[in-house]
């Protein structure tokens, strides 16, 4: 990853998902985040490596600005240092297949799987568009993918999590456990644990009770007893995520990995969970 940015002037750009007889045009309104896997020239010429950029935007429907969504833009980028070269030089780097970029295929496959399996804890794909970059884009003729997703309520969690009251932090942990189990049960194990990849819907917390659960069996028993349940924690990033395996089971250490619990003292070996801030045993 380099420090270069590739979506600086994309706010205001429109993306047309229209099909025969079904208009659907969306405006990008705000860049939420971006990452890249831009490669060096040696990797491009000697090893055939291709880099990409991955931006996430807020957006709204052109015909109804109250209809909001989130859009991921995944595209090829030129090797580092050539992004300022003339368009014809950047065009010579164009690749016809995004499948060489694991950052793209992993995200795309994960979101398709989660949507197909009706996961309640992640954005749903509303539409997909595969295309080619234009002359003013980083790699004219290179691949570009637009993923229109549902807009989720709530706020993105950050390190400010630790400024919340103890009871609220515990509610978030319980909601996140349900979220993680929902993703794995829907076929995908989230990678790159980071608290900033989680959204929290505080309004739903005021309206619905967090189910107290101690193990996976109790999760499903709880769901059966209540018939309908509400998950108000969401995971939004699935870069490098893989299909769930039988051995992918919940462990309380996940709260620490995702930045929702931490040891009071540093350790060099197996952590003593009894010394973790905000006990990881469910209350």
């Amino acid at each position: 990853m380099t420090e270069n940015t590739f979506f600086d002037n994309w706010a205001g750009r429109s993306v047309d998902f229209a099909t025969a007889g079904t208009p659907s045009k969306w405006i990008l309104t705000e860049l939420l985040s971006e990452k890249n896997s831009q490669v060096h020239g040696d990797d491009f010429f000697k090893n055939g490596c291709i880099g990409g950029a991955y931006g996430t935007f807020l957006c709204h429907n052109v015909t109804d600005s109250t209809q909001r969504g989130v859009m991921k833009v995944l595209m090829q980028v030129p090797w580092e240092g050539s992004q300022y070269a003339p368009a014809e030089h950047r065009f010579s780097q164009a690749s016809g297949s995004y499948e060489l970029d694991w950052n793209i295929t992993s995200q795309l496959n994960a979101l398709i799987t989660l949507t197909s399996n009706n996961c309640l804890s992640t954005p749903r794909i509303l539409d997909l568009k595969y295309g080619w970059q234009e002359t003013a884009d980083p790699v004219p003729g290179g691949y570009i993918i637009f993923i229109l997703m549902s807009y989720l309520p709530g706020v993105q969690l950050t390190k400010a999590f630790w400024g919340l009251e103890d009871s609220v932090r515990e509610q978030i942990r319980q909601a996140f456990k349900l979220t993680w189990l929902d993703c794995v049960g829907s076929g995908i194990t989230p990678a790159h644990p980071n608290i900033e990849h989680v959204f929290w819907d505080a309004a739903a917390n005021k309206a619905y009770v967090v189910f107290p659960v101690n193990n996976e069996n109790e999760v499903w028993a709880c769901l059966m007893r209540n018939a309908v349940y509400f998950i108000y924690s969401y995971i939004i990033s699935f870069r490098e995520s893989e299909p769930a395996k039988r051995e992918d089971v919940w462990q309380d250490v996940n709260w620490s990995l995702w930045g929702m619990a931490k040891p009071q003292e540093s350790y060099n070996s197996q952590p003593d969970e009894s010394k973790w801030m905000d006990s990881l045993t469910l209350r």
Side-chain angles (χ1 to χ4, degrees):
M1 178 176 174
T2 67
E3 295 183 357
N4 294 318
T5 57
F6 297 93
F7 297 100
D8 290 341
N9 300 309
W10 280 56
R13 186 165 175 167
S14 64
V15 182
D16 194 346
F17 291 91
T19 56
T22 307
S24 179
K25 182 178 287 188
W26 295 72
I27 297 288
L28 304 180
T29 57
E30 180 184 349
L31 177 65
L32 296 177
S33 65
E34 76 166 284
K35 294 185 181 297
N36 71 72
S37 60
Q38 189 176 31
V39 301
H40 297 293
D42 284 349
D43 289 327
F44 177 81
F45 289 107
K46 295 180 180 179
N47 304 317
C49 296
I50 296 175
Y54 326 105
T56 302
F57 292 83
L58 289 177
C59 60
H60 67 75
N61 194 310
V62 169
T63 58
D64 181 4
S65 61
T66 65
Q67 187 178 359
R68 296 186 292 176
V70 174
M71 195 179 304
K72 283 186 177 289
V73 182
L74 316 175
M75 65 182 180
Q76 181 187 358
V77 296
W79 51 267
E80 186 177 13
S82 68
Q83 61 265 30
Y84 306 110
E88 57 269 21
H89 178 82
R90 291 179 282 114
F91 173 80
S92 68
Q93 301 180 41
S95 172
S97 175
Y98 65 87
E99 294 182 356
L100 296 176
D101 190 334
W102 171 240
N103 289 284
I104 289 181
T105 57
S106 58
Q107 288 188 74
L108 189 57
N109 293 339
L111 288 169
I112 289 174
T113 297
L114 293 165
T115 298
S116 298
N117 291 330
N118 297 312
C119 183
L120 301 178
S121 307
T122 60
R124 293 182 58 82
I125 294 178
L126 302 178
D127 216 332
L128 268 171
K129 180 177 182 179
Y130 301 88
W132 310 107
Q133 296 180 46
E134 301 175 359
T135 303
D137 291 333
V139 182
Y143 53 78
I144 186 168
I145 304 170
F146 301 95
I147 309 174
L148 177 62
M149 303 182 298
S150 55
Y151 176 85
L152 298 178
V155 296
Q156 187 175 16
L157 291 179
T158 65
K159 293 180 180 178
F161 168 86
W162 291 102
L164 300 173
E165 295 182 0
D166 293 356
S167 60
V168 176
R169 292 201 299 269
E170 185 61 18
Q171 288 174 333
I172 292 175
R173 292 190 193 97
Q174 300 306 325
F176 175 73
K177 179 175 181 178
L178 286 175
T179 293
W180 190 93
L181 289 169
D182 188 31
C183 290
V184 173
S186 298
I188 295 295
T189 300
H192 294 293
N194 187 318
I195 196 169
E196 295 184 356
H197 294 165
V198 181
F199 268 60
W200 166 248
D201 186 357
N205 180 41
K206 296 176 183 177
Y208 308 113
V209 176
V210 178
F211 301 137
V213 293
N214 293 298
N215 55 55
E216 287 83 346
N217 291 333
E218 189 170 340
V219 170
W220 299 115
C222 184
L223 302 186
M224 293 298 292
R225 287 197 303 271
N226 289 275
V228 177
Y229 71 105
F230 302 89
I231 291 179
Y232 42 87
S233 167
Y234 308 94
I235 296 175
I236 60 171
S237 177
F238 289 90
R239 186 168 54 92
E240 298 187 5
S241 294
E242 296 184 336
K245 304 179 182 65
R246 182 181 295 273
E247 58 268 25
D248 292 336
V249 296
W250 173 263
Q251 299 181 51
D252 287 354
V253 72
N254 284 337
W255 282 317
S256 178
L257 295 175
W258 286 80
M260 298 179 191
K262 55 187 177 182
Q264 291 180 328
E265 300 175 358
S266 62
Y267 53 83
N268 297 318
S269 57
Q270 186 69 21
D272 180 357
E273 295 186 5
S274 67
K275 295 183 178 180
W276 285 12
M277 292 176 62
D278 291 339
S279 173
L280 296 188
T281 57
L282 304 183
R283 297 189 290 271

